[in-house]
Amino acid sequence: AGFNLFSRANNHSIDAGKKGVLDTIKNLKKINRSNRPLWWAGTGMKRSESTRGIRFRPPNKSFDITLFAVATNSSPYVDSIDDPGLVKRIRRAAKSSVVLVSVHMGWEYIHIPRKKKVKKYRRLIDAGATLIIGHHPHVVQSIERYKEGLIFYSLGNFSFGSYTTSNYYRRARMYSMIARVTLKKKTIMRAELIPLYVGNKDPWVFQNQSIPLRFATP
């Protein structure tokens, strides 16, 4: 049996206000099924809910995973990467589970993450996170093996095709990637990239294939 895991923390999480957050959570609970469980993190009706993350055990696995989902919103309904308690929460969760962090932040259509962003992402690995998944810039950014963890600074878009003036004057390349990471508890055994092209103006023919990321296993 599979499962679904996703972030609720992004810059549009509170576009419909508190009522929108509540409606979304209610509907997520309705579609949750025991044969294909659904887990999410990043929003809540108060700060204690939005910042607690979600801990679960994947089907047929012997270890737990804790997901924290953060963005840059200054709202009690959305967990923030700048929350002073985030590092402590990651450190506590990492004592007994594998910690994944989904981060929605960064300048749009910029391929190189800024130094401040790199520092924030590395701080999460230092606290005990194993895998950082970044998004929001709409384009691919760097991938870094930092200490025992792995950081995707931005996966780019998925099915969201971007056609704006920003990607042209910033000379952004409209491709993206799906990351497929194999974990053995806190050890990253293998990581692969599945490239995507998400430009919705200029057609591009590309044979989809998996690209392994090669690095030494700790």
Side-chain angles (χ1 to χ4, degrees):
F3 66 95
N4 294 288
L5 174 67
F6 66 96
S7 164
R8 282 278 303 123
N10 60 71
N11 56 309
H12 294 290
S13 295
I14 53 173
D15 283 0
K18 184 177 181 178
K19 187 177 186 301
V21 175
L22 176 61
D23 287 347
T24 301
I25 293 174
K26 283 184 176 179
N27 282 289
L28 288 172
K29 289 180 179 179
K30 286 180 182 178
I31 63 175
N32 200 0
R33 299 289 184 270
S34 59
N35 63 332
R36 193 173 180 83
L38 175 68
W39 290 289
W40 65 89
T43 63
M45 298 314 299
K46 52 186 177 180
R47 182 165 297 280
S48 60
E49 294 178 3
S50 65
T51 61
R52 67 187 174 197
I54 183 67
R55 180 170 176 151
F56 62 96
R57 177 160 293 190
N60 304 317
K61 299 298 180 182
S62 60
F63 59 91
D64 289 349
I65 290 176
T66 300
L67 169 70
F68 294 101
V70 298
T72 55
N73 309 57
S74 56
S75 165
Y77 311 128
V78 184
D79 199 1
S80 172
I81 191 171
D82 296 313
D83 187 318
L86 178 61
V87 166
K88 183 183 290 186
R89 288 185 277 124
I90 291 175
R91 188 176 293 122
R92 183 168 57 246
K95 291 179 180 179
S96 56
S97 68
V98 178
V99 175
L100 312 182
V101 186
S102 170
V103 187
H104 196 79
M105 69 169 292
W107 284 63
E108 295 182 349
Y109 304 108
I110 299 296
H111 287 285
I112 305 299
R114 302 197 170 204
K115 290 183 179 179
K116 188 177 293 186
K117 179 177 179 178
V118 171
K119 184 178 180 179
K120 288 184 177 182
Y121 280 41
R122 288 179 175 178
R123 182 175 60 120
L124 305 182
I125 298 291
D126 289 335
T130 297
L131 181 64
I132 310 295
I133 301 292
H135 34 86
H136 180 257
H138 295 296
V139 293
V140 168
Q141 289 188 343
S142 313
I143 304 166
E144 181 182 19
R145 183 67 190 268
Y146 176 68
K147 295 185 176 178
E148 304 302 313
L150 184 61
I151 303 173
F152 293 89
Y153 285 97
S154 175
L155 296 178
N157 289 330
F158 185 53
S159 59
F160 181 94
S162 292
Y163 174 47
T164 68
T165 56
S166 298
N167 65 293
Y168 279 96
Y169 72 72
R170 292 181 181 174
R171 298 182 179 181
R173 301 295 182 181
M174 299 313 298
Y175 51 80
S176 297
M177 58 185 172
I178 298 173
R180 183 161 55 196
V181 181
T182 303
L183 299 173
K184 185 176 181 180
K185 295 188 177 180
K186 295 184 180 183
T187 300
I188 298 172
M189 304 300 295
R190 180 179 175 84
E192 296 177 283
L193 301 181
I194 301 173
L196 302 171
Y197 181 67
V198 294
N200 59 355
K201 176 178 178 292
D202 304 312
W204 188 49
V205 178
F206 187 81
Q207 184 178 358
N208 196 352
Q209 58 182 334
S210 174
I211 301 174
L213 298 181
R214 310 239 178 235
F215 47 76
T217 301

